[in-house]
Amino acid sequence: MQFISPGEALEKVNREGARLIDVRTPAEYRSIRAAGAELHELSALSEEYIDHTLLAKDAGKPLLILCKSDKRATQAAKLIEGRTTAPVLVVKGGTDLWDEQKLPVEKGKAVMSLERQVRVAAGGLVFIGTLAGIFFHEAFLV
C-alpha cells in the first residue's frame, strides 16, 4: 500500500485527473471535504459496489483514498487494491491534514460527532434522573 501527502495528492488531481475518494460518513462529508472529493462510504464498499459503482467511472485514473485521518482510508484501499489496475494511494493525514495545509476544501453545515451526541444524551439522562430524585422520589437517584 502506498501513501501520498495531501499536497502531492492535489498535484495528481490537477495533473493526471486522479480521483479523490472520501470514505467517511455522509455527515462528515457534508461538514468538510477536499474540493472535488467523491463520497463512497467505507461501510458501502462491498465487492459489488466497488466493481459496479466505484470503478465503473474513469477506470484507469489513480484513486486517492482519504478519510478524517487515514485509518478508514487504509481499510478502504485494502478492499479496492486487488480489484483495479489503477494506482490506489492513501492520502496521509486525510481531510484533517488537507484542511490544515490550507488546500481547497468545500464546507457545509458543521455536524456534531456521534460520540459527542452520545455524551450529550447520557449527560441529559443523568441530569433528568437527578432532578427526578430531588423533586419526586429518592429512588431516581439510584
Side-chain angles (χ1 to χ4, degrees), residues 21 29 92:
I21 307 298
Y29 178 81
K92 287 187 286 188

Side-chain angles (χ1 to χ4, degrees), residues 32-99:
I32 186 169
R33 63 191 164 277
E38 306 169 27
L39 176 64
H40 294 280
E41 189 175 3
L42 178 61
S43 64
L45 294 182
S46 64
E47 290 180 1
E48 185 177 328
Y49 182 89
I50 292 169
D51 292 342
H52 297 103
T53 304
L54 178 65
L55 299 177
K57 174 182 160 191
D58 297 329
K61 303 247 174 143
L63 298 172
L64 310 176
I65 315 296
L66 72 157
C67 61
K68 181 170 172 38
S69 55
D70 53 34
K71 184 177 179 183
R72 287 177 282 179
T74 302
Q75 292 172 338
K78 287 177 184 175
L79 293 171
I80 297 167
E81 273 182 328
R83 309 197 74 76
T84 181
T85 56
V88 179
L89 305 148
V90 174
V91 179
K92 287 187 286 188
T95 306
D96 285 350
L97 187 57
W98 187 284
D99 184 40

